[in-house]
Amino acid sequence: MTGVAYEDWLARADRLDPYTDHHIDGASSPGEGTAPVVSPRDGRTIARVASAGAADVDRAVGAARRAFDAGPWPRMSPAERKAALLRWAALVERDREELALLVSLEMGKPISEADGIELRAVIGCLRWYAEAADKQLDESPRTDAGSLALVTREPAGVVAAVVPWNFPLTMAAWKIAPALAAGCTVVLKPAEESPLSALRLAALAAEAGLPPGAFNVVNGPGEIAGRALGEHPGVDVIAFTGSGEVGRHFLRYAAGSNLKRVWLELGGKSPNIILPDAPDLDAAADTAAWGIFFNAGEMCTAPSRLLVHRSVTGRVLDRIVARAEKLAVGDPLDPATEMGPLVSARQHERVLSYVEAGRAEGARLRAGGEGEGLFLRPTVFDRVEPGMRIAREEIFGPVLSVLEFDDADEAVRLANDTEYGLAAAVWTGDLSAAHRISRSLRAGTVWVNCYEEGDMSVPFGGMKQSGHGRDKSLHAFDKYTDLKTTWITL
Ligand code: NAD
């Protein structure tokens, strides 16, 4: 929890004077047009930001291209890149409260989480990849005595990172930090809902001394600015986090242009399995509730399908409903708030349409289902059947669907009965069952007796239609480097 009082956050919000231009070639740069940034707190327009057409995107890619082809960044020693990224991390830490305020205002995340979770993650991520930059080794395989083979990792070129609004800075940092550490140059396109924090981050990159063109930010609508990046011949790599629908667009853009490589982190409908022998059923229930309501359920990893053994459903569900009813929903700038509004009117409407679908298809509403403005009370449905839309489709809101099972095999079948494969969890005190079940689950991350735990050192990403490629960990370098073989005949 931040040490700043509610009134102070309100006063700071009143004095808001954010950066609003694109950041191109090391400087702020006006756009072809402008677009409003509307805060979901109260529906007020808090800024107008530059909005790109294809010409702005072309300037940003041009700057990144020149910086890659002829600029200092890819040619610096890894230790020099490390030093620059560490300076950047220190500046983000210096301005952490200001960045947290921007995140909270633009997308509605509770300020205590914007500061305590999001900014902590961003600073940690920048430092982790800074430190990793000069600790990579290349290979020299043993060949015959008359030759020398070198296998080196070369930076992959210009990376366009296109990210969503739910963790606007963390999703960006997971891509920017390893790409820059590897020697790539970057154009970031934040979501239309959350450009302000990204623009502030870019100004800090310039202050930290990153050379012009190494890191650029363009705002703009996905169908225009995102598409222009996807189709641009000067972009070598797309690193995307967002919906499956837009992920498919990027594959098409790449196929229709220069076959740039496309890395996709997409959605999920993650199963959270509670077996009756869970070491602590109350902890399992509390974590299930925390997991689905955290960040108003706007989480790709949200444990949105609770699969619970029929013998313990009553106890687990009563506890989840009690927590749902107690959750502090309110102004995200109040440090006591645990859940803010949904990000936008469009998202609010979308989530409410699922609440309607749940009712219409015969699930039982146990909590929530309504709220004022863009708020929605934590919502719980039980008696959910596997074929219902609320059991199959990603809602991306604070809506839990509870399904029951009779044995572990049925739980695994239900868990895997989805097009997604981002994350899953199992709660059991039986070590063998935990291993057996976790091996059977097709998901990029499986948590045992916990949820959302992790560390920069472990990879994150999906299987099936949740995407491919991994953010975080040293494996992220695979996305931003090409292997080169040099064969020397001695
Ligand atoms: P979205 O796919 O609509 O938008 C994501 C980004 O793509 C935005 O920057 C947007 O401007 C851009 N975009 C939109 N249309 C485009 C187009 N036609 N061409 C090019 N770019 C376009 O997703 P969203 O609503 O912002 O975010 C929610 C989705 O993101 C959910 O499906 C969620 O699961 C997913 N997500 C995944 C992860 C993960 O790591 N797997 C993390 C967070 C969110």
Side-chain angles (χ1 to χ4, degrees):
M1 164 104 57
T2 136
V4 181
Y6 186 22
E7 306 72 55
D8 287 341
W9 286 120
L10 292 175
R12 290 184 196 189
D14 279 343
R15 293 196 301 268
L16 197 71
D17 183 19
Y19 289 78
T20 53
D21 284 341
H22 304 309
H23 184 87
I24 297 177
D25 220 2
S28 67
S29 166
E32 290 169 75
T34 63
V37 181
V38 176
S39 176
R41 279 179 74 218
D42 50 12
R44 280 208 307 221
T45 296
I46 50 174
R48 286 198 74 85
V49 290
S51 184
D56 287 350
V57 169
D58 194 50
R59 284 194 298 124
V61 174
R65 190 77 258 167
R66 285 192 300 282
F68 186 78
D69 292 341
W73 187 254
R75 287 155 198 88
M76 281 179 179
S77 71
E80 287 171 314
R81 285 201 292 271
K82 164 173 125 177
L85 292 174
L86 287 175
R87 287 197 300 275
W88 192 13
L91 294 174
V92 174
E93 181 139 59
R94 181 196 71 191
D95 291 353
R96 156 179 197 157
E97 288 177 355
E98 186 186 341
L99 284 155
L101 178 63
L102 291 171
V103 168
S104 190
L105 284 171
E106 66 191 0
M107 57 68 67
K109 195 188 296 288
I111 189 73
S112 50
E113 292 173 4
D115 182 60
I117 297 179
E118 169 125 57
L119 264 301
R120 190 164 58 101
V122 171
I123 295 162
C125 177
L126 287 173
R127 292 208 164 116
W128 201 89
Y129 284 105
E131 287 296 346
D134 64 352
K135 295 170 190 68
Q136 306 301 303
L137 302 178
D138 288 328
E139 301 165 23
S140 178
R142 289 183 195 175
T143 53
D144 62 89
S147 56
L148 172 65
L150 302 174
V151 181
T152 51
R153 277 188 181 271
E154 311 284 321
V158 172
V159 174
V162 180
V163 298
W165 39 262
N166 64 332
F167 270 83
L169 290 180
T170 311
M171 295 300 104
W174 284 2
K175 297 174 187 338
I176 298 164
L180 287 171
C184 296
T185 59
V186 176
V187 178
L188 168 69
K189 195 204 85 61
E192 294 87 317
E193 294 82 351
S194 54
L196 299 176
S197 52
L199 290 170
R200 190 76 191 91
L201 193 68
L204 295 177
E207 189 179 340
L210 266 72
F215 177 57
N216 309 275
V217 178
V218 279
N219 310 303
E223 314 79 66
I224 297 172
R227 179 176 183 156
L229 285 168
E231 293 179 335
H232 203 293
V235 172
D236 299 296
V237 179
I238 291 282
F240 174 70
T241 294
S243 61
E245 185 192 339
V246 177
R248 283 182 168 79
H249 284 314
F250 275 108
L251 293 171
R252 286 188 206 103
Y253 302 151
S257 58
N258 62 343
L259 290 178
K260 55 181 68 65
R261 88 183 61 161
V262 176
W263 298 108
L264 301 176
E265 299 276 5
L266 307 174
K269 190 75 187 173
S270 300
N272 183 17
I273 302 171
I274 301 184
L275 292 167
D277 67 347
D280 181 344
L281 269 179
D282 289 345
D286 291 349
T287 307
W290 172 81
I292 184 64
F293 303 135
F294 173 56
N295 211 41
E298 295 167 328
M299 296 285 293
C300 50
T301 48
S304 52
R305 284 188 299 149
L306 179 64
L307 309 183
V308 59
H309 191 273
R310 209 174 294 281
S311 65
V312 293
T313 310
R315 174 172 165 193
V316 167
L317 203 53
D318 285 350
R319 198 167 167 104
I320 290 174
V321 168
R323 284 188 83 86
E325 284 167 352
K326 275 212 311 264
L327 209 80
V329 180
D331 184 357
L333 292 192
D334 183 344
T337 291
E338 294 172 295
M339 196 169 104
L342 296 173
V343 68
S344 63
R346 192 176 66 133
Q347 181 71 3
H348 190 252
E349 214 170 279
R350 196 180 114 86
V351 175
L352 282 184
S353 76
Y354 279 106
V355 173
E356 255 335 288
R359 281 199 177 105
E361 289 186 310
R364 181 170 66 166
L365 184 66
R366 289 287 307 267
E370 57 195 10
E372 296 193 346
L374 298 187
F375 293 83
L376 176 67
R377 290 285 323 165
T379 299
V380 179
F381 279 103
D382 70 352
R383 299 186 186 163
V384 177
E385 295 299 327
M388 292 180 183
R389 285 182 62 208
I390 59 168
R392 307 208 69 78
E393 298 176 22
E394 183 181 44
I395 299 176
F396 223 59
V399 181
L400 180 65
S401 300
V402 181
L403 295 88
E404 291 176 282
F405 63 83
D406 291 306
D407 60 47
D409 288 345
E410 186 186 2
V412 169
R413 245 189 342 269
L414 284 171
N416 284 333
D417 179 20
T418 170
E419 68 196 36
Y420 294 112
L422 190 58
V426 56
W427 296 77
T428 174
D430 177 341
L431 186 64
S432 300
H435 276 292
R436 214 170 32 243
I437 292 171
S438 103
R439 273 195 196 165
S440 320
L441 293 170
R442 289 203 63 206
T445 298
V446 178
W447 286 290
V448 177
N449 296 332
C450 61
Y451 209 91
E452 295 291 3
E453 294 296 333
D455 184 270
M456 275 312 299
S457 59
V458 296
F460 175 82
M463 295 182 183
K464 296 158 75 179
Q465 291 187 40
S466 289
H468 57 263
R470 293 294 179 264
D471 282 335
K472 300 171 67 189
S473 83
L474 295 179
H475 296 283
F477 284 125
D478 295 345
K479 294 160 97 165
Y480 307 114
T481 53
D482 285 317
L483 286 179
K484 178 190 277 180
T485 296
T486 305
W487 186 277
I488 304 169
T489 296
L490 301 174

